[in-house]
């Protein structure tokens, strides 16, 4: 899996990539990046990636229904 980026606006982006820890176990790294520096990162066991994605979709749907999401061209991740 190649590194993927989501532009978040104001120079911030989120990167998602597969990596291997010092013990040889795979994980998914989700990092907040600005000016090519990782400011914050989270390591996720790949078996939970689908659950996280489904929960994020549910939260997005709830926010959208409640009017809590504003459309922003920089958040789509499309280039």
């Amino acid at each position: 899996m190649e590194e993927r980026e989501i532009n978040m606006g104001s120079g911030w982006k989120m990167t998602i990539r597969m990596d291997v820890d010092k013990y040889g176990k795979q994980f998914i790294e989700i990092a907040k990046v600005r000016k090519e520096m990782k400011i914050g990162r989270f390591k996720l066991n790949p078996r939970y990636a689908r659950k996280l994605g489904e929960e994020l979709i549910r939260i997005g749907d709830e926010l959208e229904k409640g009017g809590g999401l504003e459309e922003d061209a920089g958040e789509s991740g499309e280039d």
Side-chain angles (χ1 to χ4, degrees), residues 17-42:
R17 69 186 184 102
M18 288 292 293
D19 204 353
V20 178
D21 67 11
K22 64 183 180 180
Y23 304 108
K25 292 189 178 188
Q26 285 191 333
F27 64 90
I28 297 171
E29 179 190 76
I30 301 170
K32 187 174 179 182
V33 179
R34 183 165 191 175
K35 296 180 182 176
E36 304 305 317
M37 292 182 59
K38 291 180 183 176
I39 305 302
R41 64 184 183 149
F42 178 78

Side-chain angles (χ1 to χ4, degrees):
M1 176 178 141
E2 74 279 355
E3 182 172 282
R4 304 209 179 144
E5 294 182 354
I6 299 170
N7 292 321
M8 298 169 54
S10 300
W12 290 96
K13 60 185 171 183
M14 184 183 308
T15 61
I16 304 169
R17 69 186 184 102
M18 288 292 293
D19 204 353
V20 178
D21 67 11
K22 64 183 180 180
Y23 304 108
K25 292 189 178 188
Q26 285 191 333
F27 64 90
I28 297 171
E29 179 190 76
I30 301 170
K32 187 174 179 182
V33 179
R34 183 165 191 175
K35 296 180 182 176
E36 304 305 317
M37 292 182 59
K38 291 180 183 176
I39 305 302
R41 64 184 183 149
F42 178 78
K43 294 180 180 181
L44 175 68
N45 185 319
R47 80 173 70 143
Y48 302 114
R50 180 174 299 278
K51 284 185 177 185
L52 174 62
E54 290 169 352
E55 191 61 32
L56 288 171
I57 290 169
R58 275 193 288 277
I59 290 169
D61 288 345
E62 288 175 18
L63 289 172
E64 196 171 73
K65 287 178 187 173
L69 284 181
E70 297 176 15
E71 284 296 319
D72 184 359
E75 292 183 3
S76 69
E78 303 280 328
D79 290 322

